[in-house]
PDB file of all heavy atoms in Angstrom:
ATOM      1  N   GLU Z   1      -6.885  -2.952 -35.367  1.00 91.00           N
ATOM      2  CA  GLU Z   1      -6.035  -1.838 -35.101  1.00 91.00           C
ATOM      3  C   GLU Z   1      -5.824  -1.658 -33.629  1.00 91.00           C
ATOM      4  O   GLU Z   1      -4.626  -1.388 -33.222  1.00 91.00           O
ATOM      5  CB  GLU Z   1      -6.777  -0.545 -35.711  1.00 91.00           C
ATOM      6  CG  GLU Z   1      -6.672  -0.454 -37.127  1.00 91.00           C
ATOM      7  CD  GLU Z   1      -7.406   0.796 -37.592  1.00 91.00           C
ATOM      8  OE1 GLU Z   1      -7.581   1.778 -36.797  1.00 91.00           O
ATOM      9  OE2 GLU Z   1      -7.800   0.829 -38.826  1.00 91.00           O
ATOM     10  N   ARG Z   2      -6.819  -1.769 -32.856  1.00 93.00           N
ATOM     11  CA  ARG Z   2      -6.671  -1.677 -31.412  1.00 93.00           C
ATOM     12  C   ARG Z   2      -5.785  -2.850 -30.847  1.00 93.00           C
ATOM     13  O   ARG Z   2      -4.931  -2.542 -29.858  1.00 93.00           O
ATOM     14  CB  ARG Z   2      -8.094  -1.671 -30.641  1.00 93.00           C
ATOM     15  CG  ARG Z   2      -7.919  -1.651 -29.188  1.00 93.00           C
ATOM     16  CD  ARG Z   2      -7.474  -0.253 -28.722  1.00 93.00           C
ATOM     17  NE  ARG Z   2      -7.376  -0.308 -27.273  1.00 93.00           N
ATOM     18  CZ  ARG Z   2      -6.305   0.120 -26.535  1.00 93.00           C
ATOM     19  NH1 ARG Z   2      -5.311   0.717 -27.177  1.00 93.00           N
ATOM     20  NH2 ARG Z   2      -6.335   0.093 -25.215  1.00 93.00           N
ATOM     21  N   THR Z   3      -5.972  -3.984 -31.364  1.00 92.00           N
ATOM     22  CA  THR Z   3      -5.087  -5.083 -30.881  1.00 92.00           C
ATOM     23  C   THR Z   3      -3.656  -4.889 -31.243  1.00 92.00           C
ATOM     24  O   THR Z   3      -2.753  -5.070 -30.436  1.00 92.00           O
ATOM     25  CB  THR Z   3      -5.646  -6.388 -31.482  1.00 92.00           C
ATOM     26  OG1 THR Z   3      -7.024  -6.559 -31.161  1.00 92.00           O
ATOM     27  CG2 THR Z   3      -4.844  -7.630 -30.908  1.00 92.00           C
ATOM     28  N   VAL Z   4      -3.387  -4.394 -32.418  1.00 92.00           N
ATOM     29  CA  VAL Z   4      -1.987  -4.076 -32.772  1.00 92.00           C
ATOM     30  C   VAL Z   4      -1.439  -2.883 -31.934  1.00 92.00           C
ATOM     31  O   VAL Z   4      -0.313  -3.007 -31.473  1.00 92.00           O
ATOM     32  CB  VAL Z   4      -1.866  -3.578 -34.328  1.00 92.00           C
ATOM     33  CG1 VAL Z   4      -0.544  -3.109 -34.635  1.00 92.00           C
ATOM     34  CG2 VAL Z   4      -2.298  -4.819 -35.177  1.00 92.00           C
ATOM     35  N   GLN Z   5      -2.241  -1.998 -31.599  1.00 94.00           N
ATOM     36  CA  GLN Z   5      -1.793  -0.914 -30.703  1.00 94.00           C
ATOM     37  C   GLN Z   5      -1.464  -1.492 -29.271  1.00 94.00           C
ATOM     38  O   GLN Z   5      -0.439  -1.153 -28.696  1.00 94.00           O
ATOM     39  CB  GLN Z   5      -2.840   0.211 -30.553  1.00 94.00           C
ATOM     40  CG  GLN Z   5      -2.538   1.331 -29.601  1.00 94.00           C
ATOM     41  CD  GLN Z   5      -3.597   2.286 -29.507  1.00 94.00           C
ATOM     42  OE1 GLN Z   5      -4.746   2.151 -30.095  1.00 94.00           O
ATOM     43  NE2 GLN Z   5      -3.423   3.347 -28.684  1.00 94.00           N
ATOM     44  N   ILE Z   6      -2.342  -2.365 -28.777  1.00 93.00           N
ATOM     45  CA  ILE Z   6      -2.033  -2.976 -27.537  1.00 93.00           C
ATOM     46  C   ILE Z   6      -0.664  -3.800 -27.542  1.00 93.00           C
ATOM     47  O   ILE Z   6       0.037  -3.749 -26.599  1.00 93.00           O
ATOM     48  CB  ILE Z   6      -3.206  -3.937 -27.060  1.00 93.00           C
ATOM     49  CG1 ILE Z   6      -4.458  -3.094 -26.825  1.00 93.00           C
ATOM     50  CG2 ILE Z   6      -2.803  -4.836 -26.087  1.00 93.00           C
ATOM     51  CD1 ILE Z   6      -5.676  -3.948 -26.579  1.00 93.00           C
ATOM     52  N   LEU Z   7      -0.541  -4.492 -28.674  1.00 94.00           N
ATOM     53  CA  LEU Z   7       0.761  -5.306 -28.751  1.00 94.00           C
ATOM     54  C   LEU Z   7       1.987  -4.314 -28.784  1.00 94.00           C
ATOM     55  O   LEU Z   7       2.900  -4.654 -28.167  1.00 94.00           O
ATOM     56  CB  LEU Z   7       0.726  -6.066 -30.127  1.00 94.00           C
ATOM     57  CG  LEU Z   7      -0.047  -7.367 -30.095  1.00 94.00           C
ATOM     58  CD1 LEU Z   7      -0.264  -7.891 -31.580  1.00 94.00           C
ATOM     59  CD2 LEU Z   7       0.601  -8.363 -29.252  1.00 94.00           C
ATOM     60  N   ARG Z   8       1.894  -3.228 -29.447  1.00 94.00           N
ATOM     61  CA  ARG Z   8       2.992  -2.288 -29.503  1.00 94.00           C
ATOM     62  C   ARG Z   8       3.218  -1.666 -28.056  1.00 94.00           C
ATOM     63  O   ARG Z   8       4.468  -1.598 -27.553  1.00 94.00           O
ATOM     64  CB  ARG Z   8       2.656  -1.144 -30.443  1.00 94.00           C
ATOM     65  CG  ARG Z   8       2.853  -1.444 -31.848  1.00 94.00           C
ATOM     66  CD  ARG Z   8       2.687  -0.165 -32.690  1.00 94.00           C
ATOM     67  NE  ARG Z   8       2.805  -0.568 -34.171  1.00 94.00           N
ATOM     68  CZ  ARG Z   8       1.810  -0.247 -34.960  1.00 94.00           C
ATOM     69  NH1 ARG Z   8       0.831   0.426 -34.657  1.00 94.00           N
ATOM     70  NH2 ARG Z   8       1.985  -0.712 -36.143  1.00 94.00           N
ATOM     71  N   GLU Z   9       2.184  -1.336 -27.322  1.00 95.00           N
ATOM     72  CA  GLU Z   9       2.324  -0.762 -26.047  1.00 95.00           C
ATOM     73  C   GLU Z   9       2.914  -1.855 -25.065  1.00 95.00           C
ATOM     74  O   GLU Z   9       3.773  -1.485 -24.213  1.00 95.00           O
ATOM     75  CB  GLU Z   9       0.997  -0.310 -25.336  1.00 95.00           C
ATOM     76  CG  GLU Z   9       0.456   0.929 -26.187  1.00 95.00           C
ATOM     77  CD  GLU Z   9      -1.026   1.202 -25.767  1.00 95.00           C
ATOM     78  OE1 GLU Z   9      -1.628   0.453 -25.016  1.00 95.00           O
ATOM     79  OE2 GLU Z   9      -1.522   2.210 -26.373  1.00 95.00           O
ATOM     80  N   ASN Z  10       2.470  -2.990 -25.105  1.00 95.00           N
ATOM     81  CA  ASN Z  10       2.989  -4.094 -24.241  1.00 95.00           C
ATOM     82  C   ASN Z  10       4.395  -4.439 -24.595  1.00 95.00           C
ATOM     83  O   ASN Z  10       5.197  -4.768 -23.737  1.00 95.00           O
ATOM     84  CB  ASN Z  10       2.052  -5.314 -24.286  1.00 95.00           C
ATOM     85  CG  ASN Z  10       0.734  -5.106 -23.566  1.00 95.00           C
ATOM     86  OD1 ASN Z  10       0.608  -4.240 -22.731  1.00 95.00           O
ATOM     87  ND2 ASN Z  10      -0.289  -5.807 -23.965  1.00 95.00           N
ATOM     88  N   ALA Z  11       4.774  -4.375 -25.842  1.00 95.00           N
ATOM     89  CA  ALA Z  11       6.208  -4.643 -26.301  1.00 95.00           C
ATOM     90  C   ALA Z  11       7.103  -3.601 -25.645  1.00 95.00           C
ATOM     91  O   ALA Z  11       8.216  -3.920 -25.216  1.00 95.00           O
ATOM     92  CB  ALA Z  11       6.300  -4.730 -27.796  1.00 95.00           C
ATOM     93  N   THR Z  12       6.582  -2.412 -25.644  1.00 94.00           N
ATOM     94  CA  THR Z  12       7.428  -1.302 -25.056  1.00 94.00           C
ATOM     95  C   THR Z  12       7.441  -1.425 -23.571  1.00 94.00           C
ATOM     96  O   THR Z  12       8.554  -1.254 -22.972  1.00 94.00           O
ATOM     97  CB  THR Z  12       6.828   0.050 -25.427  1.00 94.00           C
ATOM     98  OG1 THR Z  12       6.697   0.195 -26.734  1.00 94.00           O
ATOM     99  CG2 THR Z  12       7.581   1.255 -24.824  1.00 94.00           C
ATOM    100  N   ALA Z  13       6.470  -1.857 -22.935  1.00 95.00           N
ATOM    101  CA  ALA Z  13       6.453  -2.134 -21.483  1.00 95.00           C
ATOM    102  C   ALA Z  13       7.337  -3.313 -21.096  1.00 95.00           C
ATOM    103  O   ALA Z  13       7.966  -3.229 -20.069  1.00 95.00           O
ATOM    104  CB  ALA Z  13       4.988  -2.427 -21.014  1.00 95.00           C
ATOM    105  N   VAL Z  14       7.393  -4.285 -21.881  1.00 95.00           N
ATOM    106  CA  VAL Z  14       8.264  -5.500 -21.662  1.00 95.00           C
ATOM    107  C   VAL Z  14       9.736  -4.992 -21.705  1.00 95.00           C
ATOM    108  O   VAL Z  14      10.567  -5.311 -20.772  1.00 95.00           O
ATOM    109  CB  VAL Z  14       8.076  -6.575 -22.664  1.00 95.00           C
ATOM    110  CG1 VAL Z  14       9.278  -7.563 -22.637  1.00 95.00           C
ATOM    111  CG2 VAL Z  14       6.742  -7.331 -22.379  1.00 95.00           C
ATOM    112  N   SER Z  15      10.055  -4.256 -22.691  1.00 93.00           N
ATOM    113  CA  SER Z  15      11.468  -3.678 -22.770  1.00 93.00           C
ATOM    114  C   SER Z  15      11.822  -2.838 -21.585  1.00 93.00           C
ATOM    115  O   SER Z  15      12.921  -3.027 -21.025  1.00 93.00           O
ATOM    116  CB  SER Z  15      11.549  -2.826 -24.102  1.00 93.00           C
ATOM    117  OG  SER Z  15      12.850  -2.422 -24.235  1.00 93.00           O
ATOM    118  N   HIS Z  16      10.905  -1.977 -21.254  1.00 93.00           N
ATOM    119  CA  HIS Z  16      11.161  -1.072 -20.051  1.00 93.00           C
ATOM    120  C   HIS Z  16      11.250  -1.893 -18.783  1.00 93.00           C
ATOM    121  O   HIS Z  16      12.139  -1.648 -17.954  1.00 93.00           O
ATOM    122  CB  HIS Z  16      10.085  -0.026 -19.969  1.00 93.00           C
ATOM    123  CG  HIS Z  16      10.215   0.813 -18.740  1.00 93.00           C
ATOM    124  ND1 HIS Z  16      11.194   1.768 -18.610  1.00 93.00           N
ATOM    125  CD2 HIS Z  16       9.491   0.984 -17.612  1.00 93.00           C
ATOM    126  CE1 HIS Z  16      11.075   2.378 -17.434  1.00 93.00           C
ATOM    127  NE2 HIS Z  16      10.073   1.880 -16.786  1.00 93.00           N
ATOM    128  N   SER Z  17      10.312  -2.786 -18.492  1.00 94.00           N
ATOM    129  CA  SER Z  17      10.391  -3.582 -17.310  1.00 94.00           C
ATOM    130  C   SER Z  17      11.589  -4.420 -17.210  1.00 94.00           C
ATOM    131  O   SER Z  17      12.132  -4.673 -16.221  1.00 94.00           O
ATOM    132  CB  SER Z  17       9.090  -4.417 -17.218  1.00 94.00           C
ATOM    133  OG  SER Z  17       7.956  -3.577 -17.133  1.00 94.00           O
ATOM    134  N   ALA Z  18      11.973  -5.068 -18.352  1.00 93.00           N
ATOM    135  CA  ALA Z  18      13.144  -5.928 -18.348  1.00 93.00           C
ATOM    136  C   ALA Z  18      14.380  -5.172 -18.071  1.00 93.00           C
ATOM    137  O   ALA Z  18      15.345  -5.567 -17.344  1.00 93.00           O
ATOM    138  CB  ALA Z  18      13.323  -6.656 -19.621  1.00 93.00           C
ATOM    139  N   ASP Z  19      14.422  -3.910 -18.526  1.00 90.00           N
ATOM    140  CA  ASP Z  19      15.632  -3.072 -18.330  1.00 90.00           C
ATOM    141  C   ASP Z  19      15.752  -2.741 -16.836  1.00 90.00           C
ATOM    142  O   ASP Z  19      16.992  -2.567 -16.373  1.00 90.00           O
ATOM    143  CB  ASP Z  19      15.407  -1.713 -19.134  1.00 90.00           C
ATOM    144  CG  ASP Z  19      16.624  -0.862 -19.248  1.00 90.00           C
ATOM    145  OD1 ASP Z  19      17.811  -1.545 -19.252  1.00 90.00           O
ATOM    146  OD2 ASP Z  19      16.605   0.315 -19.251  1.00 90.00           O
ATOM    147  N   ILE Z  20      14.735  -2.708 -16.024  1.00 91.00           N
ATOM    148  CA  ILE Z  20      14.870  -2.403 -14.628  1.00 91.00           C
ATOM    149  C   ILE Z  20      14.635  -3.692 -13.771  1.00 91.00           C
ATOM    150  O   ILE Z  20      14.373  -3.601 -12.643  1.00 91.00           O
ATOM    151  CB  ILE Z  20      13.912  -1.260 -14.262  1.00 91.00           C
ATOM    152  CG1 ILE Z  20      12.577  -1.554 -14.558  1.00 91.00           C
ATOM    153  CG2 ILE Z  20      14.394   0.056 -14.880  1.00 91.00           C
ATOM    154  CD1 ILE Z  20      11.563  -0.483 -13.994  1.00 91.00           C
ATOM    155  N   TYR Z  21      14.655  -4.819 -14.380  1.00 91.00           N
ATOM    156  CA  TYR Z  21      14.590  -6.126 -13.756  1.00 91.00           C
ATOM    157  C   TYR Z  21      13.177  -6.340 -12.954  1.00 91.00           C
ATOM    158  O   TYR Z  21      13.335  -6.848 -11.929  1.00 91.00           O
ATOM    159  CB  TYR Z  21      15.783  -6.368 -12.816  1.00 91.00           C
ATOM    160  CG  TYR Z  21      17.056  -6.369 -13.620  1.00 91.00           C
ATOM    161  CD1 TYR Z  21      17.912  -5.254 -13.568  1.00 91.00           C
ATOM    162  CD2 TYR Z  21      17.495  -7.425 -14.328  1.00 91.00           C
ATOM    163  CE1 TYR Z  21      19.079  -5.199 -14.278  1.00 91.00           C
ATOM    164  CE2 TYR Z  21      18.679  -7.456 -14.980  1.00 91.00           C
ATOM    165  CZ  TYR Z  21      19.484  -6.278 -15.062  1.00 91.00           C
ATOM    166  OH  TYR Z  21      20.628  -6.298 -15.712  1.00 91.00           O
ATOM    167  N   GLN Z  22      12.152  -5.907 -13.502  1.00 93.00           N
ATOM    168  CA  GLN Z  22      10.870  -6.088 -12.884  1.00 93.00           C
ATOM    169  C   GLN Z  22      10.210  -7.246 -13.540  1.00 93.00           C
ATOM    170  O   GLN Z  22       9.348  -7.203 -14.456  1.00 93.00           O
ATOM    171  CB  GLN Z  22       9.883  -4.863 -13.054  1.00 93.00           C
ATOM    172  CG  GLN Z  22      10.509  -3.625 -12.338  1.00 93.00           C
ATOM    173  CD  GLN Z  22      10.424  -3.727 -10.940  1.00 93.00           C
ATOM    174  OE1 GLN Z  22       9.367  -4.209 -10.402  1.00 93.00           O
ATOM    175  NE2 GLN Z  22      11.400  -3.281 -10.218  1.00 93.00           N
ATOM    176  N   TRP Z  23      10.590  -8.467 -13.029  1.00 94.00           N
ATOM    177  CA  TRP Z  23      10.118  -9.610 -13.651  1.00 94.00           C
ATOM    178  C   TRP Z  23       8.666 -10.004 -13.584  1.00 94.00           C
ATOM    179  O   TRP Z  23       8.114 -10.649 -14.538  1.00 94.00           O
ATOM    180  CB  TRP Z  23      11.007 -10.853 -13.160  1.00 94.00           C
ATOM    181  CG  TRP Z  23      12.464 -10.670 -13.570  1.00 94.00           C
ATOM    182  CD1 TRP Z  23      13.408 -10.408 -12.666  1.00 94.00           C
ATOM    183  CD2 TRP Z  23      13.027 -10.605 -14.860  1.00 94.00           C
ATOM    184  NE1 TRP Z  23      14.666 -10.214 -13.384  1.00 94.00           N
ATOM    185  CE2 TRP Z  23      14.390 -10.336 -14.767  1.00 94.00           C
ATOM    186  CE3 TRP Z  23      12.514 -10.758 -16.154  1.00 94.00           C
ATOM    187  CZ2 TRP Z  23      15.188 -10.182 -15.796  1.00 94.00           C
ATOM    188  CZ3 TRP Z  23      13.306 -10.660 -17.217  1.00 94.00           C
ATOM    189  CH2 TRP Z  23      14.566 -10.360 -17.085  1.00 94.00           C
ATOM    190  N   ASP Z  24       7.992  -9.493 -12.435  1.00 95.00           N
ATOM    191  CA  ASP Z  24       6.570  -9.705 -12.376  1.00 95.00           C
ATOM    192  C   ASP Z  24       5.938  -8.973 -13.486  1.00 95.00           C
ATOM    193  O   ASP Z  24       4.834  -9.403 -14.026  1.00 95.00           O
ATOM    194  CB  ASP Z  24       6.032  -9.348 -11.053  1.00 95.00           C
ATOM    195  CG  ASP Z  24       6.459 -10.263  -9.971  1.00 95.00           C
ATOM    196  OD1 ASP Z  24       6.769 -11.524 -10.232  1.00 95.00           O
ATOM    197  OD2 ASP Z  24       6.619  -9.879  -8.749  1.00 95.00           O
ATOM    198  N   ARG Z  25       6.318  -7.758 -13.736  1.00 95.00           N
ATOM    199  CA  ARG Z  25       5.756  -6.931 -14.791  1.00 95.00           C
ATOM    200  C   ARG Z  25       5.994  -7.470 -16.096  1.00 95.00           C
ATOM    201  O   ARG Z  25       5.199  -7.489 -16.963  1.00 95.00           O
ATOM    202  CB  ARG Z  25       6.285  -5.511 -14.707  1.00 95.00           C
ATOM    203  CG  ARG Z  25       5.825  -4.681 -13.621  1.00 95.00           C
ATOM    204  CD  ARG Z  25       6.336  -3.291 -13.715  1.00 95.00           C
ATOM    205  NE  ARG Z  25       6.054  -2.544 -12.451  1.00 95.00           N
ATOM    206  CZ  ARG Z  25       6.478  -1.368 -12.258  1.00 95.00           C
ATOM    207  NH1 ARG Z  25       7.380  -0.767 -13.056  1.00 95.00           N
ATOM    208  NH2 ARG Z  25       6.220  -0.718 -11.064  1.00 95.00           N
ATOM    209  N   VAL Z  26       7.287  -8.020 -16.326  1.00 95.00           N
ATOM    210  CA  VAL Z  26       7.639  -8.644 -17.599  1.00 95.00           C
ATOM    211  C   VAL Z  26       6.607  -9.862 -17.954  1.00 95.00           C
ATOM    212  O   VAL Z  26       6.109  -9.938 -18.981  1.00 95.00           O
ATOM    213  CB  VAL Z  26       9.074  -9.074 -17.597  1.00 95.00           C
ATOM    214  CG1 VAL Z  26       9.319 -10.025 -18.773  1.00 95.00           C
ATOM    215  CG2 VAL Z  26       9.987  -7.860 -17.617  1.00 95.00           C
ATOM    216  N   ASN Z  27       6.468 -10.660 -16.880  1.00 95.00           N
ATOM    217  CA  ASN Z  27       5.573 -11.797 -17.039  1.00 95.00           C
ATOM    218  C   ASN Z  27       4.123 -11.362 -17.327  1.00 95.00           C
ATOM    219  O   ASN Z  27       3.481 -12.002 -18.223  1.00 95.00           O
ATOM    220  CB  ASN Z  27       5.544 -12.586 -15.825  1.00 95.00           C
ATOM    221  CG  ASN Z  27       6.774 -13.426 -15.574  1.00 95.00           C
ATOM    222  OD1 ASN Z  27       7.522 -13.828 -16.512  1.00 95.00           O
ATOM    223  ND2 ASN Z  27       7.229 -13.706 -14.395  1.00 95.00           N
ATOM    224  N   THR Z  28       3.675 -10.319 -16.713  1.00 96.00           N
ATOM    225  CA  THR Z  28       2.293  -9.847 -16.909  1.00 96.00           C
ATOM    226  C   THR Z  28       2.157  -9.352 -18.395  1.00 96.00           C
ATOM    227  O   THR Z  28       1.223  -9.607 -19.076  1.00 96.00           O
ATOM    228  CB  THR Z  28       1.978  -8.725 -15.981  1.00 96.00           C
ATOM    229  OG1 THR Z  28       2.033  -9.198 -14.624  1.00 96.00           O
ATOM    230  CG2 THR Z  28       0.528  -8.199 -16.180  1.00 96.00           C
ATOM    231  N   GLU Z  29       3.228  -8.495 -18.861  1.00 96.00           N
ATOM    232  CA  GLU Z  29       3.132  -7.927 -20.182  1.00 96.00           C
ATOM    233  C   GLU Z  29       3.231  -9.052 -21.246  1.00 96.00           C
ATOM    234  O   GLU Z  29       2.617  -8.968 -22.316  1.00 96.00           O
ATOM    235  CB  GLU Z  29       4.190  -6.906 -20.305  1.00 96.00           C
ATOM    236  CG  GLU Z  29       4.053  -5.643 -19.486  1.00 96.00           C
ATOM    237  CD  GLU Z  29       2.706  -4.993 -19.476  1.00 96.00           C
ATOM    238  OE1 GLU Z  29       2.205  -4.918 -20.654  1.00 96.00           O
ATOM    239  OE2 GLU Z  29       2.236  -4.396 -18.536  1.00 96.00           O
ATOM    240  N   VAL Z  30       4.084 -10.014 -21.076  1.00 96.00           N
ATOM    241  CA  VAL Z  30       4.254 -11.084 -22.040  1.00 96.00           C
ATOM    242  C   VAL Z  30       2.944 -11.842 -22.121  1.00 96.00           C
ATOM    243  O   VAL Z  30       2.536 -12.270 -23.192  1.00 96.00           O
ATOM    244  CB  VAL Z  30       5.506 -11.943 -21.770  1.00 96.00           C
ATOM    245  CG1 VAL Z  30       5.431 -13.219 -22.690  1.00 96.00           C
ATOM    246  CG2 VAL Z  30       6.726 -11.151 -21.915  1.00 96.00           C
TER     247      VAL Z  30
END
């Protein structure tokens, strides 16, 4: 359950970071 929650949070962070062109953050989250 915790792992699925982490996946959801990181997927949201990828979307947000990509939207503002923060590629270092995108790479970290992926």
Side-chain angles (χ1 to χ4, degrees):
E1 287 176 19
R2 178 66 183 135
T3 304
V4 169
Q5 180 183 0
I6 289 170
L7 282 166
R8 283 188 185 125
E9 290 170 0
N10 288 335
T12 303
V14 164
S15 179
H16 176 69
S17 296
D19 192 33
I20 58 174
Y21 300 100
Q22 295 291 319
W23 296 112
D24 289 337
R25 288 184 189 170
V26 168
N27 288 331
T28 301
E29 297 301 330
V30 172

